[in-house]
Amino acid sequence: MKTAVNTAKTSPLSLVFTDFKEITKARLAVSVVFSSIAGYFLGATEIQLTSVLLLAFGGYCMVGASNAYNQVIEKDLDALMNRTKNRPIPAGSMTVNTALSIAITMTVLGVIALYVLNPQTAMFGAISIFLYTSVYTPLKTKTPLAVFVGAFPGAIPFMLGWVAATNDFGIEPGTLFMIQFFWQFPHFWALGWMLDDDYKRGGFKMLPTGKKDKGTALQIIMYTIWMIVISIIPVFGITGRLQLSIVAAIVIFLMGMVMLVFALRLFTRKDNKSARSLMLASVSYITLMQVVYVVDKFI
């Protein structure tokens, strides 16, 4: 009886919503929107709710469209991997045509929403979709350089918010771009380390050396150091209106050092547990770093 009741509660509408969240990777999309809004707060001289909502909606559409295109392109490879075999298309709960329709609709709506903010924001949003789907996705099965290419669209959201607020691209959004660009490498290589066996089933080449070795771990350390350096550069007053107080720079530096400790641990231990710790630390770092930047501006 209890099973029958639970089944009855699972309505077709809830299943559609679940599939929509999966095909757009809702959790990832929300984190990207968070980065964009943080960038907007940093660039804006006056916070406008309408602009924030347009940026949030347009940003979600851009990321959701990219992920839907990706899952259409990689549907056969997704079926081979444990982490992706239950996605809507390989699981059979969504057709390719439906996923493609969602991707196209979200692309159009996203570009329109960002264009209302200003043309530059729409342009960068469109570029991110193109790079992710037409360059990064095909390269994943051919070369580890795919991660380098993928770091470009992955680094756009933080700077996109500044451009949305100012309709200008200069050293300030360029700095925000570089912070998130360098962050991509330790984050995704840690993830790639954890899921290396699964990625290999799909033919993906995610680690820079192709192996879970000290060469990969060393590159993770190097990019983590560059990420820390770029993150605190605004404290020196050379990044235009993008400023950072000494206290905020110290906090960000210490957070970066925590992440570096996890990277060093991966270098010495070379195990999945250390890679997972680094991946989680990287997620915490990017979120808290953006919060520190925003709070520092307004206090």
Side-chain angles (χ1 to χ4, degrees), residues 54 57-59 61-62 102-116:
L54 281 169
F57 176 76
C61 284
M62 294 289 97
I102 291 172
I104 293 171
T105 301
M106 294 186 79
T107 300
V108 173
L109 293 177
V111 169
I112 291 173
L114 296 181
Y115 188 85
V116 171

Side-chain angles (χ1 to χ4, degrees), residues 92-135:
S93 60
M94 181 181 291
T95 66
V96 170
N97 287 340
T98 298
L100 195 56
S101 297
I102 291 172
I104 293 171
T105 301
M106 294 186 79
T107 300
V108 173
L109 293 177
V111 169
I112 291 173
L114 296 181
Y115 188 85
V116 171
L117 288 168
N118 59 65
Q120 282 200 73
T121 305
M123 178 189 71
F124 283 120
I127 287 173
S128 71
I129 291 180
F130 173 78
L131 288 176
Y132 190 87
T133 60
S134 300
V135 186

Side-chain angles (χ1 to χ4, degrees), residues 24 34 39 79 170 249:
T24 60
F34 179 87

Side-chain angles (χ1 to χ4, degrees), residues 218-278:
L218 181 61
Q219 291 195 50
I220 289 174
I221 291 170
M222 291 171 59
Y223 277 96
T224 301
I225 292 171
W226 275 112
M227 177 201 73
I228 297 169
V229 171
I230 300 297
S231 294
I232 62 173
I233 273 184
V235 77
F236 299 105
I238 58 176
T239 52
R241 288 202 301 116
L242 183 64
Q243 302 289 324
L244 198 63
S245 70
I246 293 176
V247 173
I250 292 173
V251 171
I252 290 173
F253 175 78
L254 292 175
M255 291 192 304
M257 291 304 294
V258 170
M259 190 169 155
L260 182 59
V261 167
F262 284 112
L264 290 168
R265 183 178 295 174
L266 179 61
F267 180 81
T268 58
R269 297 183 180 178
K270 301 190 295 296
D271 61 356
N272 286 351
K273 182 178 179 181
S274 299
R276 176 176 172 77
S277 297
L278 174 60

